[in-house]
Amino acid sequence: MKIAFDCQGGDHAPQAIVEGALKAKEALGIEPIFFGDAARLKAMEGVDETHIVHCASAITQEDSPALAIRKKKNSAIVMGLGALKEGKVDGMISAGSTGALLAGGMFIVKRKEGVERAALPVYLEISGQKKLILDVGANMDASPEMLLSFAEMGQSYLRDVEGVDAPTVALLNVGTEEGKGNQQVKAAYELMADGIEHFTGNIEARDVLFNNVNVIVTDGFAGNILLKTIEGTVGYIQHGVASAAKGSEKAGELKMLAKSILGDLDYSRYGGVPLLGLEKPVFKAHGASNAEAVLSATEALVRMVRGDEYREGAGQ
Amino acid sequence: MKIAFDCQGGDHAPQAIVEGALKAKEALGIEPIFFGDAARLKAMEGVDETHIVHCASAITQEDSPALAIRKKKNSAIVMGLGALKEGKVDGMISAGSTGALLAGGMFIVKRKEGVERAALPVYLEISGQKKLILDVGANMDASPEMLLSFAEMGQSYLRDVEGVDAPTVALLNVGTEEGKGNQQVKAAYELMADGIEHFTGNIEARDVLFNNVNVIVTDGFAGNILLKTIEGTVGYIQHGVASAAKGSEKAGELKMLAKSILGDLDYSRYGGVPLLGLEKPVFKAHGASNAEAVLSATEALVRMVRGDEYREGAGQ
């Protein structure tokens, strides 16, 4: 299995990307293809020269995503996604600009048939239960039909990639009763009640961490509010614990306890998130990824590639 | 100052409401008017018979709000709001159906001039800093113009009622840069940048508990997601602390610590929330209010009445 690594994107590129790719080669038996500055990559230990694809320009966080995809044809994101489209690699990982990766995914790799827009989920395991919340940032204005398709993408990912049997789906809303919410979610509820197997109805934000539903569907605006509110509340509490621990004899003990309670909510430990709805597997690693995180991301990507192969083998 | 108390609404009505009203009479010098079942109220200690207004029907949580306002003309909510409209009382408190109180506020008390829709805020003090987030549930689909008017209502409340000098305002969004978000918030940003003094721009959900902005503007859908995600995350952590404390010698110590860290996030301690945008002061006490909570709610309502008097006296 050949995997394209964007060696230009991320806070610790190219070192962390290359080290992670080499760890993945060792641990998972994949063949890494390094997209980036050839001179720099050649100088790095363990990099096979024949597996380098030179990229003369680089997309940065400051670039406008759609424009960057059109203008920077020889960047790692554009060239890596191009190689994926042409079947020269089986999957692509980038810790670079999420917007550019999404735009490139849509324009170069293309969407799966019937999918209007790609989505960005967040993956969590809470008390061992696998959860996917989507969209959390790719689609600010989502039609009810798009929400329906997010439900389908989420189920398919959890089933084919994470091995969840019959994943349940709920719609993020302000109350659990049918008829709650704004125009968008009311219409989406109707579509999902008709079209989604294992649809359990609405879910309130306060139940997201407790309820045992697998896929939580929302648009990118509300999903982002949900996710960042969890992050902000956890941050607030960590800050409180740090203050309480200051000068206390039990500082270490307190921090350990906080870590054990808050651990499941730290979604950065899953390495990143898949881009859902594309023809081929693309994985967004966290910008701050170190080599270990790149390895985690590669593990998830390998499961995505295998999930696709399985589906194709089954004639779906 | 005469205050109408809905003695029909809330989990502990009429006892907690009446006890709270009597505490407020003692502590604040207000004159409570009791709206409810006369026979039952007469039998209660400390209730002045001449201050009872008999209500033959009652609005419940199961009633459709708009329908209940039209059909249950002799309920405490409808009669109390009617007395407020006519100037027989100076303010109204209810721990009953939020929807019915809002609908009644709009239909009976009416909105302030220039206000399209009333809003439901949540009030918090974090590290001593006063914050109002609105709307958190009254308006699911809010136009950019409505968001602008929420900003104005929020500023006016914090300034006139809570004594905040020059309250700052931010717009809840998925990023801090201008141009972020969905169509609704992009348009609202433009309006607020032009029309709101002390507008500080967008605020991300993760910064709501840290940032020192006073008024956070959002529609009722996203506001509800924000609020209930804080609640859910706090609940998740309390559950974790309770598990860690189980059988531990330090159980009491741990719970005290959690309480001290989480205390500021418990918005139930403020007694309830004002309905903003109405011609006259209406306060929604929490459904679970005990007598102490009713007293807190009355304190806030008295500040609202005085704020209005002050504005009118100043010729505004």
Side-chain angles (χ1 to χ4, degrees):
Chain A
M1 188 187 298
K2 288 182 179 163
I3 303 293
F5 288 85
D6 167 5
C7 301
Q8 296 177 325
D11 303 346
H12 310 298
Q15 283 78 4
I17 311 295
V18 169
E19 279 172 36
L22 294 172
K23 275 176 192 278
K25 181 183 176 187
E26 176 89 16
L28 311 170
I30 59 137
E31 195 177 321
I33 315 292
F34 304 95
F35 288 76
D37 181 74
R40 204 156 165 201
L41 290 169
K42 268 181 207 166
M44 295 176 76
E45 202 177 333
V47 175
D48 177 347
E49 216 172 296
T50 65
H51 285 57
I52 295 173
V53 176
H54 178 61
C55 303
S57 66
I59 293 175
T60 69
Q61 294 292 346
E62 285 67 42
D63 282 323
S64 150
L67 204 67
I69 294 302
R70 286 206 305 276
K71 299 277 179 186
K72 296 190 167 175
K73 296 284 185 207
N74 44 14
S75 62
I77 286 182
V78 173
M79 292 184 78
L81 292 173
L84 180 61
K85 175 69 182 173
E86 292 163 20
K88 291 179 182 164
V89 296
D90 303 293
M92 158 100 181
I93 286 187
S94 173
S97 157
T98 308
L101 196 64
L102 261 169
M106 303 263 289
F107 292 131
I108 301 166
V109 179
K110 309 286 183 191
R111 290 156 291 167
K112 278 189 182 144
E113 214 185 303
V115 169
E116 199 184 327
R117 293 289 305 263
L120 210 59
V122 69
Y123 176 80
L124 280 173
E125 284 180 30
I126 294 186
S127 309
Q129 213 232 355
K130 294 174 178 183
K131 275 181 193 295
L132 203 66
I133 307 171
L134 79 163
D135 180 32
V136 297
N139 302 283
M140 288 299 121
D141 293 280
S143 66
E145 290 73 20
M146 279 162 67
L147 294 181
L148 176 71
S149 109
F150 296 166
E152 291 163 349
M153 291 177 198
Q155 280 190 311
S156 148
Y157 183 82
L158 282 187
R159 194 179 51 228
D160 301 336
V161 177
E162 295 297 338
V164 177
D165 191 39
T168 52
V169 175
L171 180 63
L172 184 66
N173 207 332
V174 302
T176 53
E177 308 89 337
E178 195 181 339
K180 283 276 178 184
N182 57 20
Q183 298 305 326
Q184 175 209 36
V185 297
K186 282 182 196 172
Y189 187 101
E190 303 285 324
L191 293 177
M192 288 166 69
D194 281 350
I196 298 290
E197 231 187 329
H198 316 301
F199 176 57
T200 64
N202 292 320
I203 184 169
E204 287 193 72
R206 84 171 113 223
D207 297 325
V208 164
L209 301 177
F210 291 102
N211 195 300
N212 60 6
V213 73
N214 298 114
V215 180
I216 292 159
V217 173
T218 171
D219 70 19
F221 189 85
N224 186 284
I225 302 295
L226 172 77
L227 195 65
K228 289 192 182 160
T229 305
I230 295 176
E231 231 181 282
T233 309
V234 166
Y236 179 86
I237 290 161
Q238 281 171 330
H239 182 82
V241 170
S243 298
K246 203 173 281 175
S248 153
E249 284 168 24
K250 295 175 205 148
E253 209 178 318
L254 269 176
K255 285 179 185 168
M256 283 280 285
L257 178 68
K259 204 174 166 188
S260 85
I261 291 173
L262 300 171
D264 276 358
L265 303 185
D266 174 19
Y267 47 88
S268 74
R269 69 200 182 99
Y270 305 107
V273 295
L275 266 56
L276 297 186
L278 298 180
E279 274 278 359
K280 307 220 169 174
V282 178
F283 200 89
K284 170 66 179 79
H286 296 299
S289 293
N290 58 17
E292 274 306 320
V294 172
L295 174 60
S296 299
T298 312
E299 283 168 353
L301 180 66
V302 166
R303 289 198 296 275
M304 284 176 81
V305 175
R306 296 225 169 99
D308 278 358
E309 284 170 0
Y310 170 78
R311 261 200 313 282
E312 279 155 23
Q316 284 184 30
Chain B
M1 187 186 300
K2 289 181 177 161
I3 303 293
F5 287 85
D6 167 5
C7 301
Q8 296 177 326
D11 303 346
H12 310 297
Q15 284 78 4
I17 310 295
V18 170
E19 280 172 35
L22 293 172
K23 275 176 190 278
K25 183 182 174 186
E26 176 89 15
L28 310 171
I30 59 137
E31 195 177 322
I33 314 292
F34 304 94
F35 287 76
D37 181 72
R40 203 157 165 201
L41 290 169
K42 269 180 209 167
M44 293 176 77
E45 201 177 334
V47 175
D48 177 348
E49 216 173 294
T50 63
H51 285 58
I52 294 173
V53 177
H54 178 61
C55 303
S57 66
I59 293 175
T60 68
Q61 294 292 345
E62 286 67 41
D63 282 323
S64 149
L67 205 65
I69 293 302
R70 286 207 304 275
K71 299 278 181 189
K72 296 190 168 176
K73 296 283 185 206
N74 45 13
S75 61
I77 285 180
V78 173
M79 293 183 76
L81 292 174
L84 180 61
K85 174 70 183 171
E86 292 163 20
K88 292 178 182 164
V89 296
D90 303 294
M92 157 100 182
I93 286 187
S94 173
S97 156
T98 308
L101 196 64
L102 261 170
M106 301 264 288
F107 293 131
I108 300 165
V109 179
K110 309 286 184 192
R111 291 155 290 166
K112 278 191 183 141
E113 216 186 299
V115 168
E116 198 183 331
R117 294 291 303 265
L120 210 59
V122 70
Y123 176 80
L124 280 173
E125 284 179 29
I126 295 187
S127 309
Q129 214 234 354
K130 295 175 177 182
K131 274 180 193 295
L132 203 66
I133 306 171
L134 79 164
D135 182 33
V136 298
N139 303 284
M140 288 299 122
D141 292 279
S143 65
E145 290 74 19
M146 281 164 64
L147 294 181
L148 176 70
S149 106
F150 296 167
E152 290 163 350
M153 293 177 197
Q155 277 189 313
S156 150
Y157 183 83
L158 281 188
R159 193 179 51 227
D160 302 335
V161 178
E162 296 296 339
V164 177
D165 190 41
T168 50
V169 175
L171 180 65
L172 183 67
N173 206 333
V174 302
T176 53
E177 307 89 337
E178 194 181 338
K180 282 277 178 183
N182 57 22
Q183 298 304 324
Q184 175 209 35
V185 297
K186 282 182 198 171
Y189 186 102
E190 302 285 325
L191 294 178
M192 289 167 69
D194 281 348
I196 298 291
E197 230 187 329
H198 314 302
F199 176 58
T200 64
N202 292 318
I203 184 170
E204 287 193 71
R206 82 171 115 221
D207 297 325
V208 164
L209 301 177
F210 291 102
N211 196 301
N212 60 4
V213 75
N214 297 114
V215 180
I216 292 157
V217 173
T218 169
D219 70 18
F221 189 86
N224 186 284
I225 301 295
L226 173 77
L227 196 66
K228 290 191 180 160
T229 305
I230 295 176
E231 231 182 284
T233 309
V234 166
Y236 179 86
I237 289 161
Q238 281 170 330
H239 182 82
V241 170
S243 298
K246 203 173 279 174
S248 155
E249 285 168 24
K250 297 175 203 145
E253 207 179 320
L254 267 177
K255 283 178 186 170
M256 283 281 284
L257 177 68
K259 205 173 165 189
S260 85
I261 291 173
L262 299 172
D264 276 356
L265 302 185
D266 175 18
Y267 48 88
S268 74
R269 69 201 183 99
Y270 305 106
V273 295
L275 266 55
L276 296 186
L278 299 181
E279 274 278 0
K280 307 218 168 179
V282 178
F283 200 90
K284 169 67 181 77
H286 295 299
S289 292
N290 58 17
E292 274 306 319
V294 172
L295 173 60
S296 298
T298 312
E299 285 168 352
L301 181 65
V302 167
R303 287 198 297 274
M304 283 175 83
V305 175
R306 298 228 167 98
D308 278 359
E309 283 168 1
Y310 170 78
R311 259 200 313 281
E312 279 155 24
Q316 284 184 26

